[in-house]
Structures are given as C-alpha cells and as structure tokens.
Amino acid sequence: MTGRPAVAVVDGFGSAARLAKAFDAAGHDCVRVQSTVDIPAHYRNELDLGLYADNLVHTGDIDATAARLAEHRTIAVIAGAEQGVELTDALCEATGLPGNGTALSHARRTKDVQTRTVAAAGLPTARQLTVEDAAQLREWHTRLGGRVVVKPVRSARNDGVSVCDDPSESVAAYERIRDAVNDFGLRNEGVVAQEYLIGTEFVVNTVSRDGRHRVTDTWRYQKIDVNGVRDRINGILSLPPSDPRWSRLREYAFSVLDALGITHGPAHLEIIMTSGGPRLVELGARLCGADVARYAVLVTGESQIGRTVQAYTAPEAFLADVDSPYGRDGHAAMAFLASPLEGRLRSYPLLGNVERLESFQGMALRVTPGQRLRRTVDDGSEPLAVGLAHAEAATVEKDFQTVCYLDGHGFYEVEQGHHG
C-alpha cells in the first residue's frame, strides 16, 4: 500500500485500463474489484493486474468488500464494464461514496426494464415486449408488423441481437437466445423484443457529478450488411455541436440520465434519431469501449476518461464548466473492418494504403499475421480498427470511405487451403 488515496474500478476490463492509468497519473492508486470469482472468457485476455494496487474478488458479501476498500482509503467506486454496474452501485451505497444508489440499478442494467423506466418518465421510447413465450411473441409481432429486434435483456455489445422481418424469425431468435450463454458466461435471464427503429444511430458519451451532466463526445454510427449480418457497425464518425441534431441528442440524453437515476460517473448512450425524434436504444452506466477516448481528445480536446477523473478528484473544477461547449472542434472516425475470410492470416496486403491516408492516426490489430483470422459476424470482433482524425471533416469522411472500399477479399491474405 502506497498511502495514496484509491479509486476502485469494478471489473476493470478493456477500456477501463485507460481509466486506471489516468487515475494513477492524477495521484491515486487503483484497486480492482472483481464482481465474480470466475472471469468471463471474453475478458480473460484483457486482464492486466499490473495497473492495480490490489485485486479484490467479491464473493457476495458487500460489507466485507466495502471493508477491504476502506483499508485503501477509497474515494470512489466506478464500474469498468457492464456486468460491474450493480456491484458498483451497492458498494457506493455501503461505503457512503458518491454513487447512483441501488433503487434503479436493475433498470440501468436490464434492457426491457430500462426502456420501461425511461418511458415512465415521459420520454419517447421504442415499443417493446418482454417475451414470456413463443405464442405471445408471434402474436405481438404480427400485430405490430414490420421488422423487430430480439435480444437478451442483459448482454453487452450485440451479443445475441437478432433483426427479424417476420414473426417466425422472431420466434426462432427467441428460442435461440432463451437458453444461450452470453459473453459474461451466464445463461440469458430473459428476452425482449423491440420495434426496429428507422433512423441514424448515435453515441452520446457523458460524465455526471451531483446530478449535473456533461457530454464529452458524440458519434454517428456507420452500418453495413456484411457476411450475412444486418446493421453491423463498421465505423463511427464524430458529430460536432454545430450539427443541428447535436442539441436534440444532448437534451434527450440528459433526460434519460435523470430518468435512470444517474447522478455520478460515466455513461454511454446509444440513441436513434427517428423521423419522430430521438429514441433510446440502450444505456450503459459505464465508459464507452474501444479506443474512443483517444480519438475524442483529438476531436474535442477532452475525453470521457479525463472528465471522469476530474469529476471524482476535482468536482469543483468539473462543475465550473460542466455546461460549456467542447474546447475544440475537430473531426475523427474509427473504422471497424470486417473479414470475409477465415484461416491463418499471412498478411494485410493493402495496409500500406491505409497508413498513407492523410487523416490516419493509428490502428489496433486484433489479429496479427500468423494468427487465426475469423469471418467477422458481430460487433467488437473486427480483425483491426483504424483511427482517423483531421481538422477538415471532408478529409476524414473521404479517408473513412477509402478504408471501407479497401476492406474486403483483397485486404486479407490467408494461407492456401485455409480460406473460409
């Protein structure tokens, strides 16, 4: 123990590692709290305990874990990943640290309850059904008509999400999801069906302190149909405050945060702007994933990570400019590539073309030559992600489209006899 005050990160996987580094730079130790004894398989390769002063494995006793946190002079408890949200709320309540309370924990974590809670606050939402059986779902979809989305009530990314054009597809998706094990290694607890919202989907990332909210960065999703998957997210492009949709998204996002009782910490909202206005897809009471924070800094001069650290360590400074606009008006994008092939990867023959793009800032290789390349069929499993940023929006847009054009069969070289 170093004697520095500590910040606890519950399930510090993925992008939460950057949060630990940022708190360390601000003069705080980080303690990692593991909400389950077994780490979900999806996160095992992302575990880096070198960032943390201690690793506490929660075994179900809130008071015991809270007592361990007190030994580290913990000043804040923050969720690092989706499945840590409810334990974070409980630990904040048990320790008296700034938090969102437990009254609406279930709503913040469970998709159908979340939508019902937001609707009860008077906000427009998607029509939905908490599915009890196949016959009920078939009758609801028949009555609703059109396309629907069927998904687990608790999951992350697009795990188990199915877009269904007719009642038979919906029933098949329900039966597939109902008994499946999700990315967290848990059997799905339930299934929700929602109307398919037509419009452009946006990400609004926020940080809150004492019920005051700040938008740190906003993005527009780009989607394609690829490898038999509909609406696969193949990129995000930054949305500047000058865009007329920005203010409407911000206002709606803040109302959702209030409806779900989020008064402290980061949140990640996905919102579709329909012809009738914004509609919540879902909210995560946690940081945005991937490397988004790095590119947010290039766009706005700040990030969700930096503002989260400020909200807990220097709340007066956070609140002093909570309503002011970003300090910068840049433009950025991230492209999430999709391999049509399977096999042992030999090379990326066209990667040099990407690296020579004017707005190229870097890339994250998930699959390197010599490793097995899999056909991309979901979000978050891309073989590589490319980051772009430039002062001119047109340059970012052009380079993003160029990356999308290059991606495909010619982008991947696999060993002979290993084609998918």
Side-chain angles (χ1 to χ4, degrees):
M1 205 172 296
T2 64
R4 300 194 303 175
V7 171
V9 181
V10 181
D11 292 333
F13 305 118
S15 55
R18 296 175 183 85
L19 190 64
K21 290 175 183 172
F23 272 111
D24 175 65
H28 290 71
D29 281 346
C30 268
V31 174
R32 186 175 169 281
V33 179
Q34 198 171 298
S35 68
T36 54
V37 174
D38 295 320
I39 298 170
H42 178 68
Y43 292 115
R44 278 177 203 150
N45 63 343
E46 299 180 3
L47 185 60
D48 181 3
L49 294 179
L51 298 167
Y52 298 96
D54 201 355
N55 185 54
L56 312 181
V57 179
H58 178 67
T59 56
D61 186 334
I62 294 290
D63 291 337
T65 303
R68 295 282 307 279
L69 292 177
E71 295 172 9
H72 288 277
R73 295 197 295 131
T74 302
I75 64 150
V77 183
I78 305 169
E82 191 72 32
Q83 82 272 24
V85 167
E86 286 158 309
L87 179 57
T88 298
D89 292 341
L91 288 172
C92 287
E93 204 162 77
T95 55
L97 293 170
N100 299 320
T102 56
L104 291 172
S105 277
H106 190 58
R108 289 190 282 270
R109 184 68 184 86
T110 312
K111 293 178 174 60
D112 57 336
V113 182
Q114 185 173 107
T115 299
R116 277 202 300 274
T117 304
V118 171
L123 296 173
T125 60
R127 290 170 288 181
Q128 68 168 18
L129 172 76
T130 301
V131 185
E132 293 170 7
D133 58 54
Q136 174 216 29
L137 173 59
R138 184 181 294 277
E139 193 274 333
W140 180 83
H141 191 169
T142 301
R143 192 172 68 249
L144 183 71
R147 184 177 285 172
V148 306
V149 179
V150 181
K151 56 188 177 182
V153 296
R154 294 162 75 94
S155 63
R157 302 178 300 124
N158 69 336
D159 180 27
V161 176
S162 297
V163 179
C164 306
D165 284 325
D166 60 58
S168 294
E169 285 186 19
S170 292
V171 168
Y174 161 66
E175 290 175 344
R176 188 168 58 246
I177 295 166
R178 181 182 55 190
D179 298 319
V181 173
N182 62 29
D183 274 356
F184 302 127
L186 303 171
R187 192 164 298 283
N188 285 323
E189 295 178 24
V191 179
V192 60
Q194 295 178 334
E195 68 174 311
Y196 179 87
L197 297 168
I198 298 173
T200 303
E201 186 169 356
F202 297 90
V203 167
V204 180
N205 291 321
T206 64
V207 178
S208 303
R209 175 77 202 201
D210 298 326
R212 304 275 303 282
H213 314 301
R214 180 178 184 83
V215 173
T216 58
D217 49 304
T218 311
W219 305 85
R220 170 171 59 88
Y221 275 150
Q222 190 77 19
K223 300 179 184 180
I224 57 173
D225 293 348
V226 63
N227 294 338
V229 178
R230 184 183 280 142
D231 292 347
R232 192 244 168 195
I233 298 165
N234 74 315
I236 59 172
L237 293 98
S238 58
L239 186 78
S242 57
D243 188 290
R245 296 167 293 188
W246 191 87
S247 293
R248 290 188 75 190
L249 289 165
R250 177 180 182 269
E251 181 183 352
Y252 181 81
F254 286 3
S255 296
V256 169
L257 293 171
D258 290 340
L260 292 171
I262 293 180
T263 56
H264 291 276
H268 168 70
L269 298 95
E270 294 176 330
I271 299 167
I272 290 180
M273 186 66 80
T274 71
S275 58
R279 301 285 186 274
L280 180 68
V281 177
E282 57 191 58
L283 169 146
R286 52 162 175 81
L287 289 170
C288 181
D291 207 12
V292 173
R294 179 191 165 199
Y295 292 95
V297 172
L298 298 175
V299 174
T300 69
E302 63 184 84
S303 78
Q304 201 180 28
I305 290 173
R307 286 292 186 179
T308 297
V309 172
Q310 185 188 43
Y312 286 101
T313 63
E316 302 84 1
F318 176 86
L319 293 171
D321 68 348
V322 69
D323 297 319
S324 64
Y326 308 146
R328 192 178 301 160
D329 189 22
H331 304 277
M334 293 182 73
F336 308 122
L337 279 65
S339 168
L341 303 177
E342 296 218 3
R344 190 175 301 282
L345 180 67
R346 182 173 285 168
S347 71
Y348 294 106
L350 303 179
L351 204 53
N353 299 40
V354 173
E355 293 172 319
R356 286 189 291 273
L357 292 171
E358 194 175 349
S359 65
F360 177 78
Q361 296 289 333
M363 59 189 169
L365 284 175
R366 287 177 177 264
V367 181
T368 55
Q371 292 182 321
R372 178 163 179 77
L373 180 71
R374 298 194 181 279
R375 194 163 170 264
T376 306
V377 293
D378 60 11
D379 299 331
S381 66
E382 65 275 359
L384 75 160
V386 175
L388 310 168
H390 196 274
E392 292 296 328
T395 301
V396 171
E397 183 83 35
K398 180 191 71 162
D399 289 354
F400 178 82
Q401 298 294 351
T402 302
V403 173
C404 294
Y405 170 75
L406 293 171
D407 190 23
H409 283 271
F411 199 83
Y412 310 90
E413 182 189 16
V414 298
E415 291 182 9
Q416 291 301 312
H418 284 87
H419 289 273

